[in-house]
Amino acid sequence: MKTNTFLLPFGGFLVLLSTVVWPSPLASQQIFQELGAFAIWASSDHPELPGPSGFGAAATWEFAEIFMARLAYHRLSEDTRKEGTVCDQYSQRINCRGEITETSSTLSGLRTTVIVVPPLGEQLRLGLGGGLSFNSLAAEAVGVESGLPADLLAPNAGIIGFTALLSAAVTPVMAVPVKLTGSFGLHWVNFSTCSGEDPPPYEPYCGMEAFKEIELGLSYAF
């Protein structure tokens, strides 16, 4: 299994985000802070991630009265089975044959989103926004019968994406600072892991892919 490191691309962005939206001592009472966790269900046309599911966590800050900044961690996983190719050696593709293969894929990363939140009262919050994502993908494929690694080209570097988000939050009891949260989002991921070889290996993580996502969870307001 390949493990990818993607902290460096967004490390500087987190510092910048904190200077913009983190409350200063003079403005701490004017900025809303919230932490939450949620479950995620997604769908796409990707052959290895057609219906992944997972979980996430988010922190939000309100600023400039009608804007909200959201920093979230998402993790989506899925296992698939299909007819694939297993070789004894892949550098020169020796002794290759067809076999049922199982692929495990996990897409995880951080997303930064700026959301417009019109004033609708204290119990209901609706928002619409978009932003960037910084992702890592771990993928492994094996032959079901042989147990040998299957033909698969997977990313070994950070992956950039773009997001659009329609979110909602409801406070059932005003005396309790807990919100029910939900959202519908689109996540475009630029996998861009293409070999350029002829004939190419199995390279499902090549090109842009769109994921439709639904989030449901709870958040706590400080």
Side-chain angles (χ1 to χ4, degrees), residues 7-197:
L7 291 177
L8 291 179
F10 57 78
F13 186 86
L14 297 184
V15 174
L16 176 61
L17 179 66
S18 66
T19 62
V20 174
V21 301
W22 192 265
S24 65
L26 297 178
S28 60
Q29 295 182 350
Q30 300 176 3
I31 299 179
F32 182 86
Q33 300 181 44
E34 190 175 312
L35 295 176
F38 47 86
I40 318 168
W41 297 269
S43 64
S44 76
D45 294 327
H46 194 279
E48 301 300 345
L49 292 163
S53 59
F55 61 90
T60 60
W61 300 264
E62 288 187 355
F63 65 100
E65 296 184 354
I66 64 168
F67 292 98
M68 183 173 71
R70 185 178 195 251
L71 178 62
Y73 171 79
H74 289 67
R75 180 183 173 91
L76 291 165
S77 300
E78 187 166 14
D79 295 336
T80 59
R81 282 196 177 195
K82 64 186 178 308
E83 181 71 26
T85 301
V86 175
C87 302
D88 290 341
Q89 181 178 321
Y90 289 96
S91 59
Q92 297 180 354
R93 302 186 71 82
I94 297 175
N95 193 22
C96 297
R97 65 271 186 192
E99 185 177 335
I100 297 298
T101 61
E102 183 174 80
T103 303
S104 299
S105 303
T106 298
L107 179 67
S108 59
L110 290 181
R111 305 184 190 181
T112 56
T113 310
V114 175
I115 303 171
V116 178
V117 184
L120 296 175
E122 296 183 358
Q123 286 191 275
L124 175 64
R125 183 181 72 211
L126 297 177
L128 178 64
L132 297 174
S133 69
F134 305 88
N135 309 278
S136 173
L137 186 134
E140 182 181 44
V142 297
V144 173
E145 295 182 3
S146 66
L148 295 174
D151 184 23
L152 178 69
L153 180 64
N156 58 6
I159 304 167
I160 301 297
F162 307 92
T163 64
L165 186 70
L166 175 63
S167 65
V170 177
T171 305
V173 181
M174 289 302 300
V176 180
V178 175
K179 296 180 181 293
L180 304 176
T181 62
S183 69
F184 172 77
L186 293 174
H187 186 204
W188 294 273
V189 181
N190 186 21
F191 286 109
S192 66
T193 302
C194 311
S195 68
E197 300 177 9

